Every structure is written in C-alpha cells, then in structure tokens.
Amino acid sequence: MESSGRSWSIDSYLNEHFDIPAKNPPGEARLRWRRAVGLVVRNRRRRFRMFSGLHAVDDSQRRKILGKVQVVINVHKAALQFINGVRRYPLSNDLIKEGFCISPDELSAITGMHEDPTIFKTHGGINGISRKIKTSLEDGISETEIETRQKLYGTNKHAEKPPRSFWMFVWDALHDLTLIILMVCAVVSLVVGLATKGWPKGIYDGLGIIFSILLVVLVTASSDYKQSRKFMELDREKQKIYVRVTRDSKTKKVLVHDLVVGDILHLSIGDVVPADGLFVSGYSLMIDESSLSGESEPVHVSEEKPFLHAGSKVLDGTAKMLVTAVGMRTEWGKIMDTLNDDGVDETPLQVKLNGVATIIGQIGLVFAILTFLVLLVRFLVDKVMHVGLLNWSANDALTIVNYFAIAVTIVVVAVPEGLPLAVTLSLAFAMKKLMSDKALVRHLAACETMGSASCICTDKTGTLTTNHMIVDKVWISDVSKSVSCDTNINKLKAAISESVMEILIQGIFVNTGSEVVKGDDGKRNILGTPTEAALLEFGLSLQGDLYDKYNKLTRLRVEPFNSVKKKMSVLIQLPNGGLRSFCKGASEIILEQCGTVLNSEGNITPLSEMQKQNILNIINSFASEALRTLCIAFKDVNEISDDQTIPEDGYTLIALFGIKDPVRPGVRDAVMTCMAAGIKVRMVTGDNINTAKAIAKECGILTEDGIAIEGRELHDKSTDELKELLPKIEVMARSLPMDKYKLVTSLESMYQEVVAVTGDGTNDAPALRESDIGLAMGIAGTEVAKENADVIIMDDNFSTIVNIARWGRAVYLNIQKFVQFQLTVNIVALIVNFVSACIVGVLHHLLPSNCYG
C-alpha cells in the first residue's frame, strides 16, 4: 500500500507539473514545467537548448504584439512613401551591361507593403516592368538567364543563422553547475596537493578530476553537435517545395529556391506565395495576407490591384504572377530577417522525462548532502578523538575538499541531465528513418503520438488508390459506353452526332484546371490534378486537334473547383458573339442544376423526373463498380452584368463520366495490419457513397458491422445520436472539410481516441490542426495543408502511414525501455555511492590511522 501511495504521489506530481498536450501546448503549460524543474537543472543552456520560447505568450499578449507590429508596419509604410518620393534608384554597370532597365531595390519598392501605385504606373504598369526586366508575360524567361538573374537580383533564400561550431557546444557543456564545482575542487586539490605532497604526487588527484571533466565535456559536446546536424538536415528537407513556372514557353516545376526575378509563376488554391510579384492574369484570386498585415479579411487581387506578397496564402482562384522580388528583398524576407527560430516545441515525453529527472535529481541531492554530512561528521569525531578540534593542517582541508568532491560526484551520477536530450536524439533518428520511408516528420511529438494512435481517418483518392485516373465509362445522349480502349472510343464517336461531340469537347477543353504542355523530350504532358488530367486526356483522344482552337476562346469568368462547392464553372465568349457557361463536378450536384438534357441529335429536351431517376441509377451503377462519377453541363447566356456570378441553375446535361482509380497494391494488407494492432481505419472522402463503399470493401475497411454515411447526415446528428453512431462509422462519403473536422473532434472528445487524419486541401487545415496527428499529402497536398500537418506523406500512400504508426510504436517502446534502464542505473548508483561512503567511513574509523599523530 505504501509503495502504491508513493507511486500515486509521483504520478500526480508529474501530471500536475509536467503534463502538456502533444499539439499546440499553451504558453502557461510550457512555462509551468520549466519552473517546476527548479534549481535541480545543472545546465539550463543545454537542457533547454532545443526548445523554443522559454516565456509563456498567451492570446492577449499575442494580440498586443500583433498590434505593435501593425503600428510598426504603418509607420514603415508612411516612411517609405515619403522616402520613395525623393529616392532615386541608380542602375549598376552590371545591370546596364545585361540590358536590364530597373534596379532590384526599385522593383522591391514597387511591390512593397506600402503598394504605391504611382511608381507602378510610372514604369508603364505590368507591361512596362516586364520589358525592363526582359520577361515575356506569355513565354517567361530563358533557362540560360537564371544564373545572371540570381547574380543581379538575388536568390530566393532567406538569411539563415550560421551553424553553431563544435566549440560552441563545448562552451555550453562547460556551463554545467556541477562541472564548475568540480573545476573549483580540482584547482583546490592541485594547490593543496602541491603544498603538502609536492611534485608530482600532489597533482594526481587534481589531474584525475580535470581529465574526468574533459571526458564528460567532450562526450556531451559531440552528442549535441551530431544532434544539431541531424536537425539541420531535416530543416533542409522541409524547405524542398516545388512551384510551377513558365520558362522557354513551357510550364515546368522548379524548387522554390530556384525562383528568379522575371519568372512567370502559376498560383492556385492552397499555395503559399513564395515571392513578391504582380498579377498577370487569373480568375477570382483571393489572398490571405494576415501573416503580413495582421488583417484577417481576404484581399481580392486583380489587374486593378495587382500586388502580391511572399508569405500570403491563396484562398481561392487561380492566377499567373510576375516575380519582381525574391529572398531578402521581399517584405516577408525582411520580417524573417528580424525573427530567430529558437528551436522546436518540446514533446510530452520529453517534458515527462524532465519531471522524472527533476525528482531523481532531488533524491540525488538529498543523498549527496547526507553522504557529505556522514563523512564530515565521521572526520570531525575522529579528529576530536585524536588531535583535537583546534589543530588543523593542509591535509585536513584536502580531506574535506575530497569529501565535497564525492558529494558533487553523486549529484553528477544522480541527475540524468542528458536523458531528455537522449530522447530528442532518438526521435531525430526516427525522423531520419521515416524520411527514407517517404514520410517527412515536421514535429517531433508526432513520432511519439503516432505510436499510440487508435484511429486513422484517411482520404480515398491517392491514399488508398493509385491516383492514376482514366475515364473508364461514359453516358451521353442515353448511350452508355466503356471507353477503356481505342476501339470503344471509335464506337462512341459513331454513336453520337457531331453537334453533341462539339459541345462535349468544348466543355472538356475550356472548363479545365489542367493544361497540355510539351516536355523537353517533345512529348505531350498534362499538368494538373489527376481527375482533370483524366478528362483532358479523354478529350484529346476524341478530338485532340481542337484543343488549341478551344483553348484560345476568351474565358470571361472562372470559378475553380474547391472541396466545398465540389464543382468548377467557366463563362466563355463564343466566336459568334454569344456567351456560354460550363460546369462540371460531383454528379448529384450538377444533375440538380440541370432542367434539360442533350439528346443524340444535339437537341435540348426537358429532363423529366423519370429521366433524372434513370440517370441517378446509372450514377449508382458506375459508383458500385468503384468508379468516380462526374457530370458536365452547359448553358447559353445572352448577357451578364459585371456584378453577376456564373449561373447556378438552368443547365443542360451533356454527359456523365465514370473515372477509374485502382486501389494501391498492399493497401488491404496494411489495413489488416492496423486492425490487428487495434487501430481503427475510417475512410473519409468527397466521392459518391456507392463509390466509397465499393472501394472500402475492396480495401477491407468496411466490415459487416460497420456503416457508411454521408457527411451531411453526421452534421445533422444530435450529441446523443452521434455518441451511439460514432463507433460504427467506417466510411463517410460526400464529406465537406467541416464534416471531417466534426468527426475528428467528436472521436477525441467523446471516446478519447488518439486520431490521425489525412488531408490535402486548404480546407482540411482545421481538421489537420485539431487532430492528434495531422498527415498531409506530399503530392496532392496544398502548401497550406502541409503547414498545418505534423507529418507529410511524400508518396501519398496509406502503407507509409502504417509504417509511421509501426515506427512510432517501436520508438516509444524502445525509449521507455531506455528510460527504465537509465533510471535503474541512476538509483542503484546513488545507493551504492551512499553505502560505499558509509562503509569507507566506518572502516576508516576502525582501522588505525597515522593522520593525526
């Protein structure tokens, strides 16, 4: 019972002072455990070196800081506007020699946060600036100019703190309080030894202590230096972000660090703008600049207000921008230059270990004091009995110094100062290992938390499936055909009229977020999402020669696809002067917007309820074959005012597509592995419920006892209904981002499950942030999703997620074993040292001594 009470008191002490959440720990909790450590920490510089922010910053303080930053920005704007009124930007000889007509500082001033349109207009707007930096707004720059532009206008890299040298880690290790005490003991031992025993016998004890100190310092510094290098390697991996640019008339992907002034950069929903620039063309571009300006309202960017800033996020729309400032010349770069990355957030296990180290340190301190007192009392009693308390010699001083050194040594042995850092090193090793398994861990805590995951909420497309999509079936004009080979495509062409084919091809080519480009090898490539690419590939196989013709049609308005609307719409100007809108997306949603249908002769006929039901049956039949279903429709419009949006109803249905996306090899085995380990796998997808159920059964996710529901059903449930339903849910289809968010938070709050959730879109950010482990897709994921995730799955593969869980569990168990071993060694060493000191004292008292003769 006594042992149980002690165990309970230690647990309660750790929970009270050393318990922090795995994600987004509040400043108060982070500061509380550091205060609780108290004076037991021998070397604060080393113990807290890897951790950021030793001071709690609550929300009110953050608001105050943001307010001050806003004031500074406003003052900065006013000062720059005044300075720019009188400033002249001379051109360097190198710029003149290469034919550039504007300096990097002036370019930076044009797109700065003060956004003075006067300078912009003075240079002739976007066309004038593009001429001065020798850029074609259509074809981009030439690859041969990259090095020259980097030399003259700078590289897209922010200033980094220089890496710490090995000797700086040695200096940190020397700040250990016990080592400093031992150094003093060594000096005293040398002085007294030389005075009493002479050279060389008098230096033996002192040199022994010095060599021990050097050994400890070198081992500590070497360990910390290697650990620092590992984290630097991981940081470099995190910065490998690819963006799309136009160079030499070709669209290609380049590393964000390779961006140069003059590049034509492509932006889409979820991107983080990597440089300052000017809007060239695009549709419905909404930007979040809160990280720069502090303003939460999104900014609409257009030709009238063309300024784009690095660090802002694309909330909606697509665009092309002309890069005008990179690296430290961007507004974001200037802000980053004033900030220092102090380290990483502590993990719950590290905090707990700091608590354990504190308790053991306190016990060690008590043992050390007792040992010193026992030895000192024995010495004084012995002295009183032999020579008297008033008779002192240099040997007496040396004896007391040695006793003190013994006590200090016990503290050194007792306090496991390197234990939390050893765990950090283990986690860093795990991060490195997972990187080779196609998983980039952004937060150390994820390595621990993933080991205790009880539920994985996974996407379907690209995670459970290959994400290599092809159009497998088509329904058009009451004709349903398989189009998996050229023969079937020819049969489809023969079955429908030319007028129907013309509208279908036009709709595919103009209402797309993908584009056809030629690679360096001259072959045709399609850039875009797999679904868009599958439709575009299908259109090219029907009548690819019409792509250039339809691609040149003027797009008046575009509403890009997002996970909330689940559709994409475009309004185009027809060659004959009329207007036509196309929309495509989730089959049920598009069907609801249609009141007519295109028949086999190309005539528009009313869509009766019976026909609608027949089409729904075809949608369900496609879905039951695990095909992803999409509809495409059109509407001719006479005129539309500037403040009107693209029409939402009155469309004519053209076709229904069934898109095949095969299940990844090994997914079923991975799901079985999770279930055997007690991890529940749930599929969360935006697809049709029948498609989701078919894929879930194939993967082994949907069992006989499980149920599949749609997102809106979950959203409408009461708390009691939800509590009863949650354990049975295995598939959630047609889910919106907030449906996923509700599922995650409900599982965490109602059943205390440790939830891992995957996401790829901008709107998945809340669920990724709220989950215990956020897993962003490296291929399909947006930069906003990746920023809010703990782990980035580089190959978008579910098997990789299972590997993370397996590794996380192995690391956690190994660390636990290591901790138990380390603490056992420390406690045994304490007891042995104390008992040894007592035995030596007793023997010394019993045996004859000539010390005081």
Side-chain angles (χ1 to χ4, degrees), residues 62 97 132 147 158 213 246 343 404 424 430 441 500 609 619 722 814 822:
R62 291 181 192 277
K97 181 181 176 182
K132 291 184 178 183
E147 192 174 336
H158 298 138
I213 292 169
T246 298
F404 186 70
T424 306
V441 180
V500 174
E609 286 300 319
I619 290 171
L722 199 59
N814 287 334
Q822 179 73 39

Side-chain angles (χ1 to χ4, degrees), residues 84 167 188 400 787:
N84 288 334
W167 299 110
V188 172
I400 293 174
E787 277 188 1

Side-chain angles (χ1 to χ4, degrees), residues 621-634:
S621 70
F622 281 11
S624 63
E625 296 176 40
L627 299 179
R628 192 175 198 179
T629 60
L630 290 177
C631 282
I632 185 168
F634 81 101

